[in-house]
Amino acid sequence: MGNNLKQLRQRRGWTMELAAHAMGLSTKGYEKIERGERRLTADRITRAAEIYQVPEVEVIGSRFAIRIVGQVERGGLVTYFSGSPEDFQTAPRPEDATSSTMCLIVSDGDALPGVAEEDWLIYHDEERPGVPDEWIGALCLVRVADGETRMRRIFHGREPGLYDLFGNGHEPIRNVRVVSTAKVTWIKPR
């Protein structure tokens, strides 16, 4: 059974010995549970939640990792990885993440100048059709009619239903039809 004991312990700054003592276990016993080699019983889940002062779901849930599903390349171009999601790298989960939060990694230092550097993590929530009014001016993943997805700030264009996309250090893309958007929720160095 997978668990988040290692992340919880490290977040508190505890040694393995201190965590084992708090759980009422030997260091070896705690280590085996932390590595998933020994079953984490309901009583131990409750005890871990108490000592780490978190809800029980944080002890066993997938709270600490989000798969990195794609990359942001030069010019803010977004490409998604192919293959089995189980093979993708993971990144820390933000506090306010939802079940639809996804993560991209910046693959090129010129992808988002002044916003994020190479190897930084960019998080976003679900993709929505069109452009919600509250996202005007926000940094978003923007899928345009030709199928490309770019990370840009989005503004109303000159004609109804068309938008202008702006990115630091890149020429604006003007009067494009937007298929969908996903608002960037968190940017963090890796």
Side-chain angles (χ1 to χ4, degrees):
M1 172 187 243
N3 66 66
N4 298 316
L5 291 177
K6 181 176 181 180
Q7 293 90 344
L8 291 167
R9 177 177 58 78
Q10 289 175 338
R11 193 166 71 181
R12 297 281 284 211
W14 287 3
T15 63
M16 186 119 17
E17 292 78 17
L18 184 58
H21 178 73
M23 289 279 295
L25 299 168
S26 69
T27 302
K28 285 243 187 250
Y30 180 85
E31 185 177 11
K32 286 182 179 182
I33 291 172
E34 189 175 279
R35 288 195 316 238
E37 295 172 8
R38 185 180 286 167
R39 189 165 179 262
L40 187 59
T41 64
D43 290 342
R44 288 184 178 147
I45 292 169
T46 300
R47 180 68 184 138
E50 289 170 1
I51 68 166
Y52 292 120
Q53 299 175 347
V54 297
E56 289 182 11
V57 69
E58 286 194 32
V59 175
I60 57 172
S62 61
R63 164 145 175 57
F64 291 97
I66 291 182
R67 287 194 173 94
I68 300 173
V69 297
Q71 61 189 11
V72 184
E73 301 171 353
R74 185 176 298 266
L77 182 66
V78 176
T79 58
Y80 290 94
F81 300 138
S82 60
S84 173
E86 292 79 31
D87 296 333
F88 295 174
Q89 293 180 18
T90 59
R93 185 177 202 85
E95 291 294 322
D96 59 350
T98 68
S99 60
S100 63
T101 300
M102 301 173 87
C103 185
L104 302 167
I105 190 162
V106 178
S107 68
D108 186 307
D110 290 330
L112 300 167
V115 175
E117 297 179 19
E118 190 170 326
D119 215 30
W120 281 33
L121 302 170
I122 310 283
Y123 295 83
H124 66 86
D125 281 335
E126 78 274 2
E127 200 169 317
R128 294 189 190 172
V131 182
D133 287 338
E134 64 269 20
W135 292 358
I136 297 296
L139 184 62
C140 295
L141 274 76
V142 182
R143 187 180 315 273
V144 295
D146 69 5
E148 274 192 350
T149 300
R150 293 201 179 266
M151 183 141 333
R152 297 286 174 101
R153 292 197 182 279
I154 189 164
F155 296 92
H156 289 290
R158 293 192 174 139
E159 297 177 35
L162 298 180
Y163 295 89
D164 294 340
L165 310 177
F166 291 89
N168 292 356
H170 304 294
E171 287 294 316
I173 301 171
R174 298 195 179 271
N175 290 316
V176 295
R177 189 161 314 281
V178 172
V179 175
S180 62
T181 51
K183 186 178 177 191
V184 172
T185 56
W186 206 49
I187 300 173
K188 168 185 187 329
R190 191 165 191 192

